[in-house]
Every structure is written in C-alpha cells, then in structure tokens.
Amino acid sequence: MPKVTIDGQTIEVPNGTTILEAARMIGGKSVPPAMCYYSKLKETGGYCRTCIVNVSKGSEKDPRPMPKPVPSCRTTVMDGMEVQNLTSPALLEARAGVVEFLLLNHPLDCPICDQAGECHLQDLGYENGKSKTRYEFARREFEPIDIGEKIKLHMKRCIHCFRCVKLADQLTPNRYQGMLNRGDHSEISTYIQHAVDNEFSGNMIDVCPVGALTDKTFRFKSRVWFVKPEDAHRKCPTCAGKARIWLKGEEVLRVTGRKDKYGEVIDWICNECRFDKKKTSDWVIEGPTHIDHHSVISMNHYETLVDLKHETDNHRKQLTNKKVNLGQGALDPNNS
Amino acid sequence: MGRQLLIDNIKDPVTGALTGINTLEGYRAHGGYKALEKALKLKPEEIVTEVQKSGLRGRGGAGFPTGMKWSFIAKPPGVPRHLVCNADESEPGTFKDRYLMHHKPHLLIEGMIISSFALGANLSYIYIRGEMMVQYHILQKAIDEAYAAGLLGKNILNSGFDLDLHVHPGAGAYICGEETGLIESLEGKRGNPRIKPPFPAISGVWNRPTVVNNVETLAAIVPILNMGAEEYAKIGIGKSTGTKLISASGHINKPGVYEIELGVPVEEFIYSESYCGGMKGGRKLKAVVAGGSSVPILPAELILKTAKGEPRLMTYESLGDGGFATGTMLGSGGFIVMDESTSVVKNLFNFTRFYHHESCGQCSPCREGTGWMEKILHKILDGHGTVADIDLLWDIQGKIEGKTICPLGEAAAWPVAAAIRHFRPEFEEYVKNPGKIKDVKHYYRLNNLEPVN
Ligand SMILES: Cc1cc2nc3c(=O)[nH]c(=O)nc-3n(C[C@H](O)[C@H](O)[C@H](O)COP(=O)(O)O)c2cc1C
Ligand code: SF4
Ligand code: SF4
Ligand code: FES
C-alpha cells in the first residue's frame, strides 16, 4: 500500500487512491476543495481545477517533483509521494486564480438564487478567493430554461462541472443532455427542451454545486436557512426512500437526497419522493439533521466564517513552521 | 539549398510545371513504394529500432522522439492497435501538411503503411481538418489507387500484412488537433481533450492502444527507410536530425513551404535567395514567431542571435536556447516574419482572439481566461487601456499556464507572456497615447463596419 504525505501528514492508502481521496482520509484543513469531482459518480473531476495541489516529490522510485500543479481528484497516489496544499503559498495563489476564473462570468445573483446558503461556489469564493473582482466586462447571459417539467436551469450560474451530464449518463437509461457550443459560450442543454423525463433525473439538482439547476417545486418558496432539515424515509418502490425533508412548520417545502460532509449525496432518490411527497404524513421522520457544511450564510454567522478563515491561516502557518517531511527547498516559494 | 527528402520532385526544376507525382504512377516513377517493399521484409521491431536510430522527432509541435513514442505502445494480447495521422493542421502560421498532402498524398500513405506495419496496426486513420476538403478528396483518390494496386487491403504485396486506411474529415475545430481531442472526434463525439493519464499509447481510439503522429512525421519514415537511419541521422545537428518543412509567411519576399536541413541559421533562412529571399521592400526585421502562433515571439536581435551572441539556428535546441526568457521553440515550423511596420499588440490580439474562439470550454482557466485576455486587449486597442491592464494580462496568462487539461491553455498564455516580456514599451505606448490608436479604426475594422465620418 502506497504511503503519501500531504502537508506533512503521512497516510497509507489502498492502491489506486487519488490524492484527493487520500486527503479526505486524513481529513481536516488539508482537504482540497472539489467542485467537479463527485465520488458517487464515475469519471468525474479534472475540469474545474480548484483541487490542484503541488507534488513536490513524485514517488520513492522517481522523486522528481511534478512540473505543474496537478488536479488531486485525478492524480493517483504513488508510494513516497509528497504533496503540498496549504503549505505552498504559490499554490494557494494559483487556486485563488481558479476561483477568480470560476466567478468571472458568474452573475453573483445570490440574493435571488435558491442555492444561496448551501452553495459550494459561495463557500469556495469565501475561503479561497479574493473579495474584489478584477473583471470589468459584461458577464455572459443566458435565459433560464426548463430541463424537464420540474427542473429549472439557470445557465449563467453554471460552472461547467459536468456533474449533471455524468449523472444523466450514468443514472438514466438514455443520454438526455450535454454541452452545446464551445469555449465560454458552451452551455448545458437538453437540446430539445423538456426532454428530460426520467425517474432519477431530479438528482442532478443535488449534484449541481451551484444554483444552476434548481427544483421548480421549491423555487422562491424560502431561503434555505429558514427551513429545517430532517432525515426521513418512506417505503418507495423505486428508490431506497431515504431522503432529507426540509420543513417550515408542518409543511414539507422540499425533499432532497441526504448529503455527506463533502456535500455529496449518499443515496440517490427518485423523482416521486423528491417532487410529489410533500406532506409530513408521507414520511417517517427520523430526527433533525446536522448540516455539516460550512456555508457562509447557512449558519447566518459571518463571524464563524471569519474565524474559520483565521483558523485555516493559522493552520497553514503551523504547518509551514513545522517544516516536516517536505523535502529540501519545498518551502521556497520559487520552487512551487 | 540543402537536400529535399519530402517535397522533392513536385515541380520540374527547369519548367516549374507539376510532375504528376500526386498520382500513383507519377509517385512510382520517382521511386515511390520502394521503402514499403523494403520495410515488409523487415521485422516490425527492426523498423521501430531504425526510427529510433534516425533521431526523428515529432513534427506536430512538441518534438517528442518518434521511435520512443512507438516503443511505448501497449501490446495486450488480442487487442487491436491503431495508428492515427494527425492532419488537422490549424495552428495559425502553419500550412506545410496541407502542401505535402496536396502534392504527394502517396508519400503519406506509404509512410502510414510502413508505420502501421511497425506498430502492428491493421486499421489506421487519417484525421484531416474539416476545411481541407480538397486535400480530403486528393487523399481519398490516392487511397483508392493504393487499394487497387494491392498496396492497401488484405495481404499487402504478398507479405501477409493487412491494412485498412480511412481518411476522416473533422468539422473545423483547432482543438481536434490535440491528440485526445482528435481521438474523441474520430470516435464521433464532441472533440473535448481527454484527461490524461491514460495516454493514447495505453488507451486511445476505442480505448485501444493508439499512436498519433503528424503528417510530416509519418512522411519522413519513407526517406528514413530508403536511405537508412544512419544516413538520415547525419543530416542536421545534434538531436535535431533530418529535414523539416517550414511554413514561411509574413513580410518576406517569397512566402511558402520550404524544406530545410535542420541547422540552417535563422538569418540565412530569412535573407537567402534559396529560402525567404529577404524582407519585403527591404524593410527592417522587427520580430519572428518561429514555430506557429503558440510559441513565444522573439524580437529581431534575439531571433538572429542567442542571448550568448551565437547565431541562432533552425534546430529544436538552438531555437529553445535561453528558455522562454530569451528563446522560443521550433514548434510545428510555422515561421511568421514581421517587419517594423507591424504592431505586436494587434498581432497579439489576433492570436488571442483565435485561442479564445478555439477553447473547448472544459476547464475553467482556459475557458474563462482566454476570453478575458481577449477583452483586455480589445480594450487596449480601443484606446481605453491602462498600465494596470498590462500587468493584469501578465497575471492572467500566468494563472492559465500549467493549470489546464490540454496544452491549449499554454498555447494561449505563451504568446501573451512573450509579447509583454519583449515588447512592453509598445503596450505602454498604446496605453499612454490612445489618440494615436483611435486612428486605426480598430473597432470598426473588427466588426466589419464602415467608420462613421
Ligand atoms: C491545441 C492543440 C492543437 C494541436 N494541433 C495539431 C495539429 O493540427 N497537427 C498536429 O500534427 N499536431 C497538433 N497538435 C499536437 C498533437 O497533440 C500531437 O502532439 C501530435 O499530433 C503528435 O504527433 P508527432 O509526435 O508526430 O508530432 C496539437 C496540440 C494541441 C495542444
Ligand atoms: S448545471 Fe450545475 S451540475 Fe450541470 S455542469 Fe452546470 S454547475 Fe455543473
Ligand atoms: S485547456 Fe482549453 S481547450 Fe484544453 S481542455 Fe481546457 S478548456 Fe479545453
Ligand atoms: S475537483 Fe478536481 S478538477 Fe474539479
């Protein structure tokens, strides 16, 4: 089993593990942010470039550092590999660049976006980006379109992560959607609108890291931080029926899949559970859910996030001061 | 003028008339398909060794040793392998493959049969750029001739080797020249580059081991077999062996495709009557983009002489001398010459617009960054730029480079970096004297509008 050292923390992992998965096994602050990788789907990752890390030592066999930052979600661990994430200021600068690119054409319409409060792009921007944009040109515009009867696509919020495309490929029997056009004009589309009609298509709302794909049965009903999530289940002939329901008083405002601490769905749910079971009597409630993510607004606690930022910075300083296991010259900013 | 191994015998040296070498008959009259006969008597591994010995390096841009690339191809038992010829040539400034295919289609076909034999491929493809329909039909006709003559199909020249060769046109996207984008497109999908690894040598077309080579690379296999690897390796200097096609364009007296022996001094190439024939109108040389639009531009003093003051030669090593600080790359051999009347800023805008237009949009830095750089350059040319914009451009290119899925990101970043590195005062001139620029009616020209009087 290969051993890998990430920011000075060493772990042994099964063969074929990616750097990102290894970092998740270690846990904590050194886990790179991932906007397009999705462990529950095949062949995801590699597109957004937020998860880039430096490899300062390739492996025991070939200790040469890798010349460019690599996407940790798509790079397999080699025995003896040494990886820098928070310990490389140059890498953090490069990541801030990626975040800037992702936000470049983003409309920043959080005040009217249903995803606000549970949006990975908000978190990413807050934790890894800069507070000001340097972009002064018109942002790209798209009209919202329907992806099937219950899903709305706001293409201008999309970050081209391809998760919904992979989901459509892997979870539904026919390929319904893909990317049209190219470059910064490329857009997710079904080509023929309304064509997505499948029992599991609703899961694309859950995998979408931003507010590009939203649930039409929930749109504009409430800000997410005013609704109370509870884990609940029901006997469902189509899916496992394990869901998360979002309550306002006694009313079920929306139903989603249950998500783990990286925001990934644990069990896919079917469209019937998601869109049609909107009464508390439809569900057996298990109890309130602890939301593990750290969204800027979901806590309604800007201070916590400021603390979090300090904490990350301190953590980085600590790791930098430790200077362990990083190899000669690894902390030289010119070297990363 | 040195030896010609690839584009010889196209025109009659006296009358200048075409010799008919584009037909099978004409090609055979000049010794065509002799290399194939020789090759089929060798063992496939022997051919790979020959190519390794010849020192041939990929002519598609990266200059990777061809023999080594061939030796990497995986050979799992029972799995077919493929050879794909990259004829997508769309790098601005590069037009040598088109010339070669147009006039000597059989040279490419012969090279492909030999290479397929060496690699153990029984089904090979030529992926040709969608805009080159003329050459597509020329190749198709030549392939038909070759099938009829028993040079393709079953049991080629009674050797027991079978090969089917298809020519497939793309739909007109630069990114389909990137080898994995090409493979996706060949499979009938959107031409998005694949995330590597796995490399095509392990998993390429239909997830089978595949070698992708440039047109000129595959054509060069023929003279290598004809003259022997050792003879071939004697041409050139050091690790730059053999001959190279250069597409020469810009402010020179005789633009066109030239075959040079690697090692010709850049100065000779520009000013000699055997090649470009000097600067048009006797004007002064300002800058050269030596290897296609993506390689760094160099000012006259650095393209003629290295930073050490040695004459710069047309080789992979000499052009690369000094790294990106003072050097550039041979790339695909698209040699663009600019005289003193050229605006480097406008030229850069043109290149950047191209890369923005051709980005596939898969990864964030290239998708967003190329468009951003184009907009800033547009702003500068419109007379609204600031000094901060120049620094911003520099910063953006650095944030694209090395962070993308395929090298198009670098191809877009390098020209920006090099132009600012070597011609920053010109950018500042644009920013500080906007009145001057407005004269060029840049905006109107861009949008094909008549200027309003
Ligand atoms: C954006 C992009 C465009 C490319 N276009 C071409 C092309 O048009 N023709 C070509 O031969 N190689 C092109 N290449 C290089 C190929 O990826 C590949 O390296 C080459 O075909 C290998 O052949 P060689 O080893 O014979 O040079 C391109 C690469 C990139 C990144
Ligand atoms: S719509 Fe959402 S899931 Fe689909 S590519 Fe865009 S951001 Fe990703
Ligand atoms: S670098 Fe550009 S062209 Fe290449 S995969 Fe990324 S977006 Fe596509
Ligand atoms: S999560 Fe790795 S590139 Fe997007």
Side-chain angles (χ1 to χ4, degrees), chain B residues 57-66 69 86-91 96-97 174-180 182 196 212-218 355 406-408 411:
Chain B
R57 292 169 66 172
R59 305 297 196 220
F64 193 80
T66 307
K69 188 176 199 170
N86 188 341
D88 191 59
E89 191 174 61
S90 356
E91 176 104 339
K96 59 176 178 92
D97 295 344
Y174 172 61
I175 195 58
C176 294
E178 196 280 338
E179 53 187 10
T180 54
L182 184 153
K196 284 157 274 191
V212 181
N213 271 135
N214 174 256
V215 173
E216 188 188 344
T217 315
L218 292 168
Y355 288 110
C406 87
L408 192 139

Side-chain angles (χ1 to χ4, degrees), chain A residues 237-306:
Chain A
T238 323
C239 68
K242 287 187 199 151
R244 187 162 287 166
I245 59 174
W246 300 73
L247 298 166
K248 195 170 208 172
E250 282 303 292
E251 211 185 336
V252 180
L253 284 192
R254 73 165 176 174
V255 181
T256 66
R258 299 182 191 177
K259 293 185 181 177
D260 65 16
K261 69 171 166 187
Y262 297 109
E264 292 185 11
V265 169
I266 298 163
D267 286 304
W268 306 118
I269 60 168
C270 68
N271 285 4
E272 190 186 337
C273 286
R274 182 186 304 271
F275 297 125
D276 302 331
K277 299 296 166 195
K278 294 291 180 74
K279 289 199 291 278
T280 22
S281 57
D282 291 330
W283 296 94
V284 183
I285 295 176
E286 296 168 16
T289 312
H290 173 63
I291 301 284
D292 211 2
H293 63 73
H294 39 261
S295 195
V296 194
I297 310 174
S298 69
M299 314 269 179
N300 214 357
H301 256 178
Y302 288 86
E303 252 112 280
T304 335
L305 256 287
V306 173

Side-chain angles (χ1 to χ4, degrees), chain B residues 343-363:
Chain B
S343 158
V344 169
V345 183
K346 273 198 233 168
N347 168 67
L348 178 66
F349 171 76
N350 195 26
F351 284 173
T352 305
R353 184 170 51 157
F354 172 80
Y355 288 110
H356 170 212
H357 186 255
E358 297 296 338
S359 163
C360 83
Q362 266 189 119
C363 53

Side-chain angles (χ1 to χ4, degrees), chain B residues 31-51 70 109-120 151 156-161 218 221-228:
Chain B
Y33 289 104
K34 283 274 183 321
L36 176 63
E37 284 169 25
K38 212 164 156 185
L40 291 174
K41 295 197 186 96
L42 299 172
K43 289 203 200 77
E45 311 82 70
E46 288 173 334
I47 302 177
V48 177
T49 316
E50 276 294 285
V51 174
W70 288 9
I109 294 170
E110 184 178 5
M112 285 203 72
I113 305 172
I114 301 171
S115 309
S116 302
F117 177 67
L119 292 163
L151 296 162
I156 295 170
L157 301 177
N158 289 321
S159 62
F161 173 59
L218 292 168
I221 303 298
V222 176
I224 289 175
L225 275 157
N226 272 331
M227 63 201 290

Side-chain angles (χ1 to χ4, degrees), chain A residues 20-283:
Chain A
L20 180 71
E21 283 301 341
R24 285 186 178 182
M25 287 172 197
I26 297 171
K29 302 286 185 302
S30 284
V31 183
M35 297 297 285
C36 66
Y37 170 76
Y38 208 77
S39 65
K40 312 295 188 305
L41 296 168
K42 282 179 285 184
E43 288 171 3
T44 53
Y47 304 111
C48 72
R49 311 314 261 192
T50 54
C51 71
I52 49 173
V53 292
N54 269 348
V55 176
S56 51
K57 177 178 167 197
S59 68
E60 216 50 76
K61 261 201 222 127
D62 181 0
R64 286 175 304 169
M66 295 193 181
K68 309 185 225 177
V70 297
S72 59
C73 65
R74 281 279 192 144
T75 310
T76 320
V77 160
M78 306 291 263
D79 190 37
M81 187 184 263
E82 284 172 18
V83 176
Q84 302 173 316
N85 181 19
L86 299 178
T87 39
S88 164
L91 179 88
L92 295 180
E93 177 66 19
R95 182 175 293 143
V98 174
V99 175
E100 184 173 30
F101 287 134
L102 284 177
L103 288 168
L104 207 65
N105 272 297
H106 192 82
L108 298 175
D109 58 347
C110 308
I112 53 154
C113 174
D114 280 309
Q115 191 87 356
E118 51 178 20
C119 174
H120 289 245
L121 190 59
Q122 282 182 330
D123 302 347
L124 181 81
Y126 194 81
E127 289 165 26
N128 298 283
K130 306 237 158 86
S131 55
K132 263 194 170 157
T133 180
R134 297 183 292 173
Y135 188 69
E136 49 176 357
F137 305 99
R139 290 166 193 244
R140 60 174 169 254
E141 288 283 341
F142 295 94
E143 285 303 312
I145 59 168
D146 286 332
I147 297 266
E149 204 186 316
K150 298 278 170 56
I151 307 171
K152 194 71 156 181
L153 169 67
H154 281 267
M155 187 57 213
K156 56 184 180 178
R157 297 175 188 154
C158 170
I159 59 156
H160 302 76
C161 73
F162 284 87
R163 282 178 182 177
C164 60
V165 177
K166 307 269 166 169
L167 183 130
D169 266 354
Q170 294 168 26
L171 228 62
T172 64
N174 292 311
R175 195 175 137 93
Y176 287 112
Q177 82 205 90
M179 200 67 91
L180 288 185
N181 300 329
R182 70 182 177 203
D184 55 6
H185 296 290
S186 48
E187 55 178 302
I188 295 289
S189 183
T190 57
Y191 208 70
I192 304 161
Q193 286 184 27
H194 308 284
V196 171
D197 182 16
N198 173 279
E199 284 165 347
F200 284 91
S201 62
N203 288 297
M204 71 176 71
I205 300 167
D206 285 349
V207 302
C208 183
V210 295
L213 292 168
T214 50
D215 179 344
K216 277 168 81 178
T217 65
F218 176 63
R219 271 163 63 82
F220 307 133
K221 288 237 172 93
S222 170
R223 306 266 37 167
V224 291
W225 55 91
F226 294 134
V227 280
K228 200 170 117 218
E230 307 252 12
D231 281 355
H233 63 264
R234 60 181 282 269
K235 252 212 181 78
C236 174
T238 323
C239 68
K242 287 187 199 151
R244 187 162 287 166
I245 59 174
W246 300 73
L247 298 166
K248 195 170 208 172
E250 282 303 292
E251 211 185 336
V252 180
L253 284 192
R254 73 165 176 174
V255 181
T256 66
R258 299 182 191 177
K259 293 185 181 177
D260 65 16
K261 69 171 166 187
Y262 297 109
E264 292 185 11
V265 169
I266 298 163
D267 286 304
W268 306 118
I269 60 168
C270 68
N271 285 4
E272 190 186 337
C273 286
R274 182 186 304 271
F275 297 125
D276 302 331
K277 299 296 166 195
K278 294 291 180 74
K279 289 199 291 278
T280 22
S281 57
D282 291 330
W283 296 94

